Amino acid sequence: MEKLKIIGGSRLCGTVKISGAKNAALPILAACLLTPEDLILHNVPDLADVRTMLRLLAGMGVRCRREGEDVILQASDIRSTVAPYELVKTMRASILVLCPLATRFGSARVSLPGGCAIGARPVDQHIQALRRMGAEVEIDHGFVDLQSKRLKGCKIVTDMVTVTGTENIMMAAVLAEGDTIIENAAREPEVVDLANCLRAMGARITGDGTSRIVIEGQPALHGAEHTVVSDRIEAGTFAVAAVATRGDVLLSAARPADMTVVLDKLRAAGAEVTTGEDWIRIRMDRRPLAVSVRTEPHPGFPTDMQAQFMAMDCIAEGTSHITETIFENRFMHVPELQRLGADIQVEGHTAVVNGVRRLEGAELMATDLRASASLVIAALAAEGESDVHRIYHLDRGYDRMEVKLSALGANIRRLSE
């Protein structure tokens, strides 16, 4: 087990390169199952979740080779269409192999992510879509068992906006017979990036980036080469850290066009934000102003940035309201921020944050990926020493975060416990 030891009070300054997006890389890695030919990917981040996905694919027979930020995949000799619980339990995105297996091989046995029950969770949207496309799907002892002949295109209206659901349905549809229309589709940049990769493989997709996606099924897809899009959540996290520490940070290889609402909120907090096509500069020379946010599907404020903004609001001037509408249990970082001296009250789906002038270092326990990032930001802004435990959560979504922060002047070290 490892932890981060952080001595707060340092102003972050310098340039940091933003990695490829985890939430784009995972479905694109799963897309290799759609063709027997090579899929060559660039800008793939070195993250725990990416390594888990590669182990999952390798267990099915995919030949996987990593060379720096490049990954070469070939799924010409698949020997298993089973995704075991041992791997799936650590990463909900493992469900993304379900539809590629279904549409190319006609069978799959995929563990339910994290042992979750079908019902209110979005996984049921994937299953409903596959049944509408003609697959026989059963839930058996925590596994999704699927059998099908060639899937048939149809119109699918999802009950909720679901990113992984949209991505999985797209991958089912690219090899289905006829056209598939997805209504109420997710509009996230990562969905668009998957569509770009699938088009490079020979898929015919229009409407990605809107709520209505149309896919014309093809008999086969071919190999391709694709560069994974920059991680807007990593960029947002470093941007908030710059504001919280009153720093001056240039984010290179970033995509400001994907971050409009986040950058507008940082400007509202008092930051000077300048952008180019592939860079963002954040400058802050004062205590931030409190900003309220309400999470919404893209292009609204992303739920994956909620915890980071709460950390910034903890030391801001004024009172903010943080409203979470996407996930029902995403305020687990609140008690840990309170350990630093934050003044936060939770009222249902809203956290009321009264900014304080200073936080003080403390022992902190990470509870999930983005909560981990919020604790790191708060510890950087706090006075004194903090230890952030259970950072394996952090490693799921941030590539060498402590190395990048150290290069910006943070006093941060990774230690064994």
Side-chain angles (χ1 to χ4, degrees):
M1 196 78 75
E2 294 180 316
K3 67 178 180 181
L4 291 179
K5 183 174 288 292
I6 300 170
I7 300 176
S10 297
R11 185 170 181 254
L12 299 185
C13 294
T15 299
V16 60
K17 181 180 181 293
I18 301 304
S19 301
K22 172 184 85 84
N23 290 337
L26 295 176
I28 289 170
L29 289 169
C32 78
L33 294 167
L34 294 167
T35 177
E37 299 180 12
D38 285 1
L39 180 61
I40 302 169
L41 304 176
H42 307 293
N43 199 35
V44 179
D46 186 14
L47 305 170
D49 276 8
V50 169
R51 293 191 290 272
T52 297
M53 181 63 84
L54 290 174
R55 287 198 300 273
L56 177 60
L57 294 170
M60 294 176 178
V62 177
R63 288 194 287 274
C64 308
R65 188 169 82 254
R66 176 146 203 159
E67 300 174 358
E69 294 184 346
D70 298 339
V71 173
I72 300 93
L73 304 154
Q74 188 186 63
S76 60
D77 188 21
I78 297 301
R79 57 179 178 268
S80 171
T81 58
V82 176
Y85 175 73
E86 290 69 27
L87 288 175
V88 175
K89 69 179 180 180
T90 66
M91 184 181 68
R92 288 189 58 81
S94 302
I95 196 68
L96 286 162
V97 302
L98 177 63
C99 286
L101 291 173
T103 197
R104 181 172 165 217
F105 300 101
S107 69
R109 181 171 169 82
V110 178
S111 174
L112 290 169
C116 70
I118 293 297
R121 301 307 294 269
V123 173
D124 67 333
Q125 302 299 299
H126 313 222
I127 294 172
Q128 289 175 18
L130 285 166
R131 285 174 173 156
R132 281 191 52 78
M133 298 176 80
E136 296 180 4
V137 186
E138 301 293 337
I139 308 302
D140 178 43
H141 293 88
F143 278 81
V144 180
D145 278 330
L146 178 146
Q147 297 293 325
S148 72
K149 296 180 180 178
R150 188 179 182 190
L151 298 177
K152 296 186 182 298
C154 62
K155 183 175 181 178
I156 296 169
V157 183
T158 60
D159 296 336
M160 64 190 76
V161 178
T162 160
V163 175
T164 54
T166 299
E167 292 165 340
N168 235 343
I169 297 166
M170 286 168 59
M171 288 191 282
V174 292
L175 293 178
E177 181 182 341
D179 293 352
T180 299
I181 300 171
I182 308 173
E183 299 280 7
N184 201 28
R187 301 164 61 185
E188 274 70 5
E190 295 78 17
V191 173
V192 175
D193 202 38
L194 173 62
N196 287 335
C197 179
L198 293 173
R199 277 190 288 264
M201 297 168 69
R204 295 186 180 179
I205 303 172
T206 57
D208 46 293
T210 76
S211 60
R212 186 177 190 269
I213 300 176
V214 179
I215 304 106
E216 181 184 340
Q218 302 299 304
L221 297 185
H222 52 70
E225 192 167 352
H226 178 77
T227 300
V228 175
V229 73
S230 173
D231 194 329
R232 63 193 171 102
I233 304 302
E234 184 190 39
T237 299
F238 277 95
V240 172
V243 173
T245 61
R246 307 186 190 187
D248 184 350
V249 174
L250 178 69
L251 311 172
S252 67
R255 285 168 49 110
D258 294 340
M259 299 174 58
T260 301
V261 66
V262 168
L263 297 181
D264 285 347
K265 289 292 183 180
L266 292 177
R267 292 186 179 98
E272 180 184 343
V273 181
T274 52
T275 64
E277 184 177 350
D278 61 354
W279 59 268
I280 303 167
R281 185 177 182 184
I282 308 291
R283 285 184 282 191
M284 190 70 170
D285 59 3
R286 53 157 295 164
R287 183 183 177 192
L289 301 173
V291 289
S292 296
V293 300
R294 178 183 179 87
T295 63
E296 295 176 337
H298 192 78
F301 188 89
T303 182
D304 279 354
M305 285 301 303
Q306 175 257 107
Q308 298 91 312
F309 266 75
M310 186 183 292
M312 181 189 74
D313 279 338
C314 287
I315 54 166
E317 181 182 328
T319 298
S320 62
H321 294 75
I322 310 289
T323 302
E324 176 60 57
T325 70
I326 308 298
F327 293 111
E328 67 274 11
N329 194 25
R330 209 162 198 185
F331 284 153
M332 291 189 292
H333 45 284
V334 169
E336 300 304 306
L337 292 172
Q338 289 170 333
R339 290 176 58 80
L340 294 162
D343 182 355
I344 309 171
Q345 289 82 43
V346 176
E347 303 172 357
H349 296 293
T350 298
V352 181
V353 185
N354 297 303
V356 298
R357 286 196 168 273
R358 56 179 246 172
L359 300 174
E360 296 184 354
E363 296 287 327
L364 303 169
M365 192 73 70
T367 55
D368 60 66
L369 170 55
R370 305 308 172 184
S372 305
S374 75
L375 300 184
V376 170
I377 292 169
L380 290 169
E383 296 181 8
E385 184 175 288
S386 298
D387 286 348
V388 182
H389 302 271
R390 292 186 181 174
I391 58 171
Y392 56 84
H393 291 293
L394 193 75
D395 293 336
R396 289 184 48 232
Y398 293 93
D399 188 351
R400 301 169 299 116
M401 188 184 211
E402 77 281 2
V403 174
K404 292 183 176 183
L405 286 170
S406 292
L408 296 175
N411 190 336
I412 180 172
R413 291 179 294 154
R414 179 183 290 256
L415 301 173
S416 296
E417 299 205 67

